[in-house]
Amino acid sequence: MTTVLLVDDEPLVRVGFGMVLDSQPDLQVVGQAGDGAEAVALARELRPDVVVMDVRMPVLDGVGATAQIVAAGLPSRVLVLTTFDLDEHAFAALRAGASGFLLKNTQPADLLAAIRTVAAGDAVVSPRVTRRLLETFAGRLPDPAARDARLDPLTDREREVLALVARGWSNAEVAAELVLSELTVKTHVGRILGKTGLRDRTQAAVLAYETGLVRPEGG
């Protein structure tokens, strides 16, 4: 059973999402919150598998709440809801540690699939969408010329794989480019995540841009 915490400042939105989720035998809504501060408190108490988080809320917004949940080392993965796919809040949420984002007008079937995907440990947002988002707001990333030790544990091959993953390439595409098997690429990706302490490919893409391993097109 996958447990879910719903966070939105609009009660009707929470009720609607709750009805969709509770209709599924493998999903259970264990709590609801109307702002980010309440979300953090409930996440600490309930330790849900997935937190479905709106970004625009009073008291503490979804970005700040996501950052606190991730910093607390909770097992919960955060799925952020945004209004636009190139929303600056989505960009900030990914940098804060969200495993992905969905548009608020997404279809119920897509919401359910996204929750299950996040709960399974995968990223919802495709690396290509992440790349487009990161390049849109690349000016807000740290100066890549500054020393960043987060890539130090990676081998040269792992850095090659990370750079291609950040460009939105699939394991099959990376394998073809580097003349490796898909299983080997999958192993490299797993080691990259393990060495950097990241949860998924979305966070790996963010890291690649933040450290300057990958530069925006034309940048």
Side-chain angles (χ1 to χ4, degrees), residues 99-138:
S99 292
F101 65 89
L102 286 178
L103 297 181
K104 292 196 73 172
N105 63 355
T106 191
Q107 295 298 311
D110 293 332
L111 173 65
L112 295 173
I115 290 173
R116 293 185 176 109
T117 297
V118 168
D122 294 323
V124 170
V125 185
S126 73
R128 284 187 170 84
V129 173
T130 302
R131 172 188 173 186
R132 188 159 57 97
L133 185 71
L134 290 171
E135 295 199 348
T136 298
F137 297 101

Side-chain angles (χ1 to χ4, degrees), residues 13 24 32-33 36 43-44 60 72 75 81 85 97-98 126 128 130 132 142 144 158 175 180 182 192 196 211 213:
V13 172
Q24 304 299 303
Q32 298 187 21
R44 290 178 179 274
L60 178 66
L81 298 176
D85 62 350
S126 73
R128 284 187 170 84
T130 302
R132 188 159 57 97
E158 287 165 351
L180 301 170
E182 285 190 51
I192 291 167
T196 57
T211 57
L213 181 66

Side-chain angles (χ1 to χ4, degrees), residues 24-95:
Q24 304 299 303
D26 61 325
L27 301 177
Q28 178 184 11
V29 177
V30 293
Q32 298 187 21
D35 60 63
E38 186 181 6
V40 173
L42 285 178
R44 290 178 179 274
E45 175 187 348
L46 302 173
R47 302 177 73 84
D49 297 310
V50 180
V51 179
V52 179
M53 180 96 69
D54 187 20
V55 291
R56 301 172 187 267
M57 294 182 295
V59 184
L60 178 66
D61 65 17
V63 175
T66 296
Q68 289 191 26
I69 289 172
V70 172
L74 299 177
S76 309
R77 294 176 181 271
V78 179
L79 178 62
V80 169
L81 298 176
T82 65
T83 305
F84 307 105
D85 62 350
L86 289 180
D87 190 341
E88 62 181 327
H89 290 85
F91 167 79
L94 291 183
R95 291 197 65 203

Side-chain angles (χ1 to χ4, degrees), residues 6 8 10-22 32:
L6 295 176
D8 196 293
E10 297 183 30
L12 286 179
V13 172
R14 298 199 304 270
V15 170
F17 284 162
M19 291 176 64
V20 171
L21 269 59
D22 284 336
Q32 298 187 21

